[in-house]
Amino acid sequence: MAGADSPSAALQRRDLCARGIRLAGKMRADVVDLLEAYAERQGLDASASVAAVEGVPAAAVERWDEQTGTQRLVENLAAYRAFRALLAQMLEEHREQLGEADAALGRALAAVLLQVSAFAYHLEELLRLESRGPPAEEEEEDEEEEEEADGPPPQPLGLFEQKLRGLGVLRELAQWAVRSARDLRQLAKPSPGSGSAPSLAESP
Amino acid sequence: FQYARVGADVTMKCGSMDWDAAVTWTVNGTDIDESHLNGSYLILKNVDLMQSGQYFCYEGSSWHLKYQTYLRVGTPPKEPVLMCRSNNYPKGFYCSWHLPTPTYIPNIFNISVIHGTKEMVCEKDAVLKNRCHIRYLQLFSTVKYKVTLTVTNALGKNFTTLTFDEFAIVKPDPPESVVAKPVPNNPRRLEVSWQNPSSWPDPESFPLKFFLRYRPLILDQWQHVELSDGTSHTITDAYAGKEYIIQVAAKDNDIGTWSDWSVAVHATPWTEEPKHLTTEAQITETTSASTSSFMAPPTTKICDKGAMVGSGAVAVCWTAGLVVAAYSVLFI
């Protein structure tokens, strides 16, 4: 962990955080636009309450201010890897259902998928800097295979369920983009220890 | 206590006295005319607010007090007005309420805050009776908050419900300590600085962006500048010699809505003192007293509230307006 404390590592972390914050901001703006377009195309209300969708990482977190820097990065990375797979699936479904009929929406989905992939890579770089290294994706896939072996294979979703899930994916992704910017700002703060996170001062 | 709705008819019985007993009714110490009596019963038709008061019934000859009541005339509550806002994100939010019209009788307010399936505690404000505070237990949630306010009084009940996202209600307080100064030797510049609202708990992790607006007092159209960071800005296109009014608003960088405008400040860009007004005596005096030969115009000037015309963010000093108008006549 000595590497994470050196001045050059601190500067590199700050620089990566700053770029990550800009990436997250751009990503959020694009996801919000995509969410509105997606809801309109699918005949859904973008603001309607949607129950938590299985497999979509929820951005909601308790005691956010008490998380360590490493916790933030690990949770963010797990989320964006999941979104990468979910968006790829949405893109595939979109192409199967509409083909070239709604190319603009397809392009917008692809663009967001690219940003999500780039952000995931960015998080991996930050984790390497923390001398932790990112958790291997293969481990997560193995865990998923083990879980699947325990129960019956998931039923394919109907068209309406696919649309609702898509809405849920984009909505949670928009939340994550905001959370990620906040997480990176916390990470960029100078702190005495590599894993400690400053907490908000309590006041009446 | 006895409560009655405005416009209702009220009948008061004099305790256990028979209908045909001789009694005297008073209200707030004044005898009530017999025309309002039906036997010993007091009949008040179509009551109004003025008929609220302390009513006594005395036995006719002995003047023994047989009955007393305090009548309060009022109305059942209309639908209350409820507002929720987070000016201290990410700590929590508060909800405030009021009735659109008074009921003239005591009301009890009950508020419930639900997030998903969880009921949250709304802590009463230390000072304001119509406000309570909720601490966020979760951040970045897509689950909406549902706030229900119920108001009850002796004559009826009403309620209202608000449903909102965590992000939608975020609205900081306006920036504080706005200061505008002329820049020496720069007749078209004004330096403006301000501070984050003190209620915003963590501007480092939750930075604010700002919106500055400014105009010369003599014009109606505002210039606008949006600033993504920093708490200062230099206006470089001010009209020379004209007094300006300047305000700033704040918003979280990512979520929520703009704050209200800050208190307005006034400033006039630096001007060179006209040489033809300087007499020989003044040159001598100035040279001996100070190295500077120019008087800088006054710095930030905030209008007295009593001298303000207009309301809210667009307010003008009478005196400033007269001065500017005079200069306008001379120089435009």
Side-chain angles (χ1 to χ4, degrees), chain A residues 10-11 14 17 33 35 57 61-62 67 69 78 82 104 116 136 147 154 161-162 177:
Chain A
L11 268 171
R14 213 174 60 197
C17 286
D33 289 343
L35 179 61
V61 59
E62 293 184 8
Q67 287 195 324
V116 164
E147 285 175 18
E161 284 84 4
Q162 279 181 17

PDB file of all heavy atoms in Angstrom, chain A residues 10-11 14 17 33 35 57 61-62 67 69 78 82 104 116 136 147 154 161-162 177:
ATOM      1  N   ALA A  10      -0.853   9.869  -5.367  1.00  0.00           N
ATOM      2  CA  ALA A  10      -1.968  10.745  -4.962  1.00  0.00           C
ATOM      3  C   ALA A  10      -2.383  11.640  -6.124  1.00  0.00           C
ATOM      4  O   ALA A  10      -3.577  11.851  -6.357  1.00  0.00           O
ATOM      5  CB  ALA A  10      -1.550  11.581  -3.763  1.00  0.00           C
ATOM      6  N   LEU A  11      -1.368  12.162  -6.844  1.00  0.00           N
ATOM      7  CA  LEU A  11      -1.668  13.031  -7.994  1.00  0.00           C
ATOM      8  C   LEU A  11      -2.386  12.251  -9.076  1.00  0.00           C
ATOM      9  O   LEU A  11      -3.336  12.716  -9.699  1.00  0.00           O
ATOM     10  CB  LEU A  11      -0.362  13.588  -8.577  1.00  0.00           C
ATOM     11  CG  LEU A  11       0.093  14.940  -8.016  1.00  0.00           C
ATOM     12  CD1 LEU A  11       1.493  15.261  -8.503  1.00  0.00           C
ATOM     13  CD2 LEU A  11      -0.876  16.055  -8.414  1.00  0.00           C
ATOM     14  N   ARG A  14      -5.920  11.637  -8.054  1.00  0.00           N
ATOM     15  CA  ARG A  14      -6.732  12.858  -8.204  1.00  0.00           C
ATOM     16  C   ARG A  14      -7.074  13.087  -9.676  1.00  0.00           C
ATOM     17  O   ARG A  14      -8.199  13.442 -10.022  1.00  0.00           O
ATOM     18  CB  ARG A  14      -5.972  14.046  -7.637  1.00  0.00           C
ATOM     19  CG  ARG A  14      -6.882  15.098  -7.022  1.00  0.00           C
ATOM     20  CD  ARG A  14      -6.115  16.174  -6.339  1.00  0.00           C
ATOM     21  NE  ARG A  14      -5.234  16.870  -7.241  1.00  0.00           N
ATOM     22  CZ  ARG A  14      -4.222  17.632  -6.824  1.00  0.00           C
ATOM     23  NH1 ARG A  14      -3.969  17.759  -5.536  1.00  0.00           N
ATOM     24  NH2 ARG A  14      -3.443  18.236  -7.681  1.00  0.00           N
ATOM     25  N   CYS A  17      -9.595  10.514 -10.764  1.00  0.00           N
ATOM     26  CA  CYS A  17     -10.899  10.857 -10.190  1.00  0.00           C
ATOM     27  C   CYS A  17     -11.541  12.006 -10.970  1.00  0.00           C
ATOM     28  O   CYS A  17     -12.734  11.963 -11.281  1.00  0.00           O
ATOM     29  CB  CYS A  17     -10.757  11.233  -8.717  1.00  0.00           C
ATOM     30  SG  CYS A  17     -10.456   9.826  -7.628  1.00  0.00           S
ATOM     31  N   ASP A  33     -31.124  11.344 -21.330  1.00  0.00           N
ATOM     32  CA  ASP A  33     -31.726  11.530 -22.662  1.00  0.00           C
ATOM     33  C   ASP A  33     -32.225  10.205 -23.208  1.00  0.00           C
ATOM     34  O   ASP A  33     -33.321  10.113 -23.782  1.00  0.00           O
ATOM     35  CB  ASP A  33     -30.697  12.131 -23.636  1.00  0.00           C
ATOM     36  CG  ASP A  33     -30.390  13.587 -23.306  1.00  0.00           C
ATOM     37  OD1 ASP A  33     -31.182  14.198 -22.562  1.00  0.00           O
ATOM     38  OD2 ASP A  33     -29.350  14.089 -23.788  1.00  0.00           O
ATOM     39  N   LEU A  35     -33.069   7.555 -21.511  1.00  0.00           N
ATOM     40  CA  LEU A  35     -34.209   7.102 -20.706  1.00  0.00           C
ATOM     41  C   LEU A  35     -35.510   7.710 -21.236  1.00  0.00           C
ATOM     42  O   LEU A  35     -36.521   7.016 -21.402  1.00  0.00           O
ATOM     43  CB  LEU A  35     -33.985   7.488 -19.247  1.00  0.00           C
ATOM     44  CG  LEU A  35     -35.064   7.139 -18.224  1.00  0.00           C
ATOM     45  CD1 LEU A  35     -35.297   5.645 -18.150  1.00  0.00           C
ATOM     46  CD2 LEU A  35     -34.689   7.658 -16.853  1.00  0.00           C
ATOM     47  N   PRO A  57     -28.193  -3.744 -10.607  1.00  0.00           N
ATOM     48  CA  PRO A  57     -27.601  -3.277  -9.348  1.00  0.00           C
ATOM     49  C   PRO A  57     -28.250  -1.966  -8.899  1.00  0.00           C
ATOM     50  O   PRO A  57     -28.282  -0.998  -9.649  1.00  0.00           O
ATOM     51  CB  PRO A  57     -26.121  -3.067  -9.698  1.00  0.00           C
ATOM     52  CG  PRO A  57     -26.058  -3.011 -11.179  1.00  0.00           C
ATOM     53  CD  PRO A  57     -27.246  -3.672 -11.739  1.00  0.00           C
ATOM     54  N   VAL A  61     -27.942   3.195  -1.274  1.00  0.00           N
ATOM     55  CA  VAL A  61     -26.960   2.713  -0.300  1.00  0.00           C
ATOM     56  C   VAL A  61     -27.210   3.396   1.043  1.00  0.00           C
ATOM     57  O   VAL A  61     -27.561   4.575   1.089  1.00  0.00           O
ATOM     58  CB  VAL A  61     -25.528   2.984  -0.821  1.00  0.00           C
ATOM     59  CG1 VAL A  61     -25.298   4.468  -1.061  1.00  0.00           C
ATOM     60  CG2 VAL A  61     -24.467   2.454   0.141  1.00  0.00           C
ATOM     61  N   GLU A  62     -27.046   2.632   2.111  1.00  0.00           N
ATOM     62  CA  GLU A  62     -27.142   3.206   3.457  1.00  0.00           C
ATOM     63  C   GLU A  62     -25.744   3.546   3.940  1.00  0.00           C
ATOM     64  O   GLU A  62     -24.771   2.896   3.569  1.00  0.00           O
ATOM     65  CB  GLU A  62     -27.814   2.205   4.394  1.00  0.00           C
ATOM     66  CG  GLU A  62     -29.271   1.972   4.038  1.00  0.00           C
ATOM     67  CD  GLU A  62     -29.985   1.056   5.011  1.00  0.00           C
ATOM     68  OE1 GLU A  62     -29.396   0.717   6.057  1.00  0.00           O
ATOM     69  OE2 GLU A  62     -31.134   0.680   4.733  1.00  0.00           O
ATOM     70  N   GLN A  67     -18.521   4.798   3.889  1.00  0.00           N
ATOM     71  CA  GLN A  67     -17.821   3.809   3.057  1.00  0.00           C
ATOM     72  C   GLN A  67     -16.358   4.188   2.879  1.00  0.00           C
ATOM     73  O   GLN A  67     -16.012   5.369   2.806  1.00  0.00           O
ATOM     74  CB  GLN A  67     -18.476   3.723   1.670  1.00  0.00           C
ATOM     75  CG  GLN A  67     -19.813   3.021   1.680  1.00  0.00           C
ATOM     76  CD  GLN A  67     -20.240   2.634   0.275  1.00  0.00           C
ATOM     77  OE1 GLN A  67     -19.991   3.346  -0.689  1.00  0.00           O
ATOM     78  NE2 GLN A  67     -20.900   1.499   0.150  1.00  0.00           N
ATOM     79  N   GLY A  69     -12.789   4.161   0.608  1.00  0.00           N
ATOM     80  CA  GLY A  69     -12.514   4.393  -0.812  1.00  0.00           C
ATOM     81  C   GLY A  69     -12.568   3.099  -1.601  1.00  0.00           C
ATOM     82  O   GLY A  69     -13.133   3.037  -2.701  1.00  0.00           O
ATOM     83  N   ALA A  78     -18.443  -3.373  -9.748  1.00  0.00           N
ATOM     84  CA  ALA A  78     -19.395  -4.482  -9.878  1.00  0.00           C
ATOM     85  C   ALA A  78     -20.655  -4.012 -10.599  1.00  0.00           C
ATOM     86  O   ALA A  78     -21.203  -4.710 -11.464  1.00  0.00           O
ATOM     87  CB  ALA A  78     -19.745  -5.039  -8.500  1.00  0.00           C
ATOM     88  N   ALA A  82     -22.037  -5.125 -14.413  1.00  0.00           N
ATOM     89  CA  ALA A  82     -23.393  -5.658 -14.582  1.00  0.00           C
ATOM     90  C   ALA A  82     -24.156  -4.858 -15.632  1.00  0.00           C
ATOM     91  O   ALA A  82     -24.847  -5.422 -16.493  1.00  0.00           O
ATOM     92  CB  ALA A  82     -24.138  -5.630 -13.251  1.00  0.00           C
ATOM     93  N   ALA A 104     -31.836   5.129 -34.421  1.00  0.00           N
ATOM     94  CA  ALA A 104     -31.371   6.189 -33.512  1.00  0.00           C
ATOM     95  C   ALA A 104     -31.309   5.665 -32.088  1.00  0.00           C
ATOM     96  O   ALA A 104     -30.323   5.898 -31.366  1.00  0.00           O
ATOM     97  CB  ALA A 104     -32.289   7.398 -33.605  1.00  0.00           C
ATOM     98  N   VAL A 116     -20.262   3.116 -20.560  1.00  0.00           N
ATOM     99  CA  VAL A 116     -20.266   2.251 -19.375  1.00  0.00           C
ATOM    100  C   VAL A 116     -19.003   1.386 -19.362  1.00  0.00           C
ATOM    101  O   VAL A 116     -18.352   1.229 -18.324  1.00  0.00           O
ATOM    102  CB  VAL A 116     -21.546   1.383 -19.344  1.00  0.00           C
ATOM    103  CG1 VAL A 116     -21.419   0.227 -18.370  1.00  0.00           C
ATOM    104  CG2 VAL A 116     -22.752   2.249 -18.985  1.00  0.00           C
ATOM    105  N   ALA A 136     -11.490 -10.195 -10.464  1.00  0.00           N
ATOM    106  CA  ALA A 136     -11.604 -10.768 -11.806  1.00  0.00           C
ATOM    107  C   ALA A 136     -13.057 -10.998 -12.136  1.00  0.00           C
ATOM    108  O   ALA A 136     -13.837 -11.444 -11.300  1.00  0.00           O
ATOM    109  CB  ALA A 136     -10.820 -12.077 -11.874  1.00  0.00           C
ATOM    110  N   GLU A 147     -24.760 -20.568  -9.016  1.00  0.00           N
ATOM    111  CA  GLU A 147     -26.123 -20.248  -8.585  1.00  0.00           C
ATOM    112  C   GLU A 147     -27.128 -20.847  -9.549  1.00  0.00           C
ATOM    113  O   GLU A 147     -28.137 -21.400  -9.165  1.00  0.00           O
ATOM    114  CB  GLU A 147     -26.319 -18.740  -8.513  1.00  0.00           C
ATOM    115  CG  GLU A 147     -25.645 -18.126  -7.300  1.00  0.00           C
ATOM    116  CD  GLU A 147     -25.746 -16.615  -7.325  1.00  0.00           C
ATOM    117  OE1 GLU A 147     -26.590 -16.081  -8.057  1.00  0.00           O
ATOM    118  OE2 GLU A 147     -24.981 -15.987  -6.596  1.00  0.00           O
ATOM    119  N   PRO A 154     -33.626 -19.396 -15.836  1.00  0.00           N
ATOM    120  CA  PRO A 154     -34.597 -18.291 -15.816  1.00  0.00           C
ATOM    121  C   PRO A 154     -35.470 -18.324 -17.066  1.00  0.00           C
ATOM    122  O   PRO A 154     -34.998 -18.616 -18.149  1.00  0.00           O
ATOM    123  CB  PRO A 154     -33.730 -17.026 -15.776  1.00  0.00           C
ATOM    124  CG  PRO A 154     -32.383 -17.454 -16.272  1.00  0.00           C
ATOM    125  CD  PRO A 154     -32.241 -18.888 -15.967  1.00  0.00           C
ATOM    126  N   GLU A 161     -42.331  -7.238 -20.209  1.00  0.00           N
ATOM    127  CA  GLU A 161     -41.368  -7.335 -19.112  1.00  0.00           C
ATOM    128  C   GLU A 161     -39.982  -6.840 -19.551  1.00  0.00           C
ATOM    129  O   GLU A 161     -39.251  -6.238 -18.772  1.00  0.00           O
ATOM    130  CB  GLU A 161     -41.253  -8.785 -18.612  1.00  0.00           C
ATOM    131  CG  GLU A 161     -42.422  -9.235 -17.754  1.00  0.00           C
ATOM    132  CD  GLU A 161     -43.600  -9.722 -18.571  1.00  0.00           C
ATOM    133  OE1 GLU A 161     -43.498  -9.782 -19.818  1.00  0.00           O
ATOM    134  OE2 GLU A 161     -44.645 -10.038 -17.968  1.00  0.00           O
ATOM    135  N   GLN A 162     -39.659  -7.113 -20.813  1.00  0.00           N
ATOM    136  CA  GLN A 162     -38.369  -6.633 -21.329  1.00  0.00           C
ATOM    137  C   GLN A 162     -38.334  -5.102 -21.305  1.00  0.00           C
ATOM    138  O   GLN A 162     -37.335  -4.493 -20.929  1.00  0.00           O
ATOM    139  CB  GLN A 162     -38.159  -7.105 -22.781  1.00  0.00           C
ATOM    140  CG  GLN A 162     -37.658  -8.527 -22.914  1.00  0.00           C
ATOM    141  CD  GLN A 162     -37.463  -8.908 -24.378  1.00  0.00           C
ATOM    142  OE1 GLN A 162     -37.405  -8.056 -25.253  1.00  0.00           O
ATOM    143  NE2 GLN A 162     -37.368 -10.204 -24.639  1.00  0.00           N
ATOM    144  N   ALA A 177     -24.731   6.897 -12.061  1.00  0.00           N
ATOM    145  CA  ALA A 177     -23.845   7.922 -12.615  1.00  0.00           C
ATOM    146  C   ALA A 177     -23.700   9.084 -11.635  1.00  0.00           C
ATOM    147  O   ALA A 177     -22.608   9.638 -11.464  1.00  0.00           O
ATOM    148  CB  ALA A 177     -24.363   8.403 -13.963  1.00  0.00           C
TER     149      ALA A 177
END
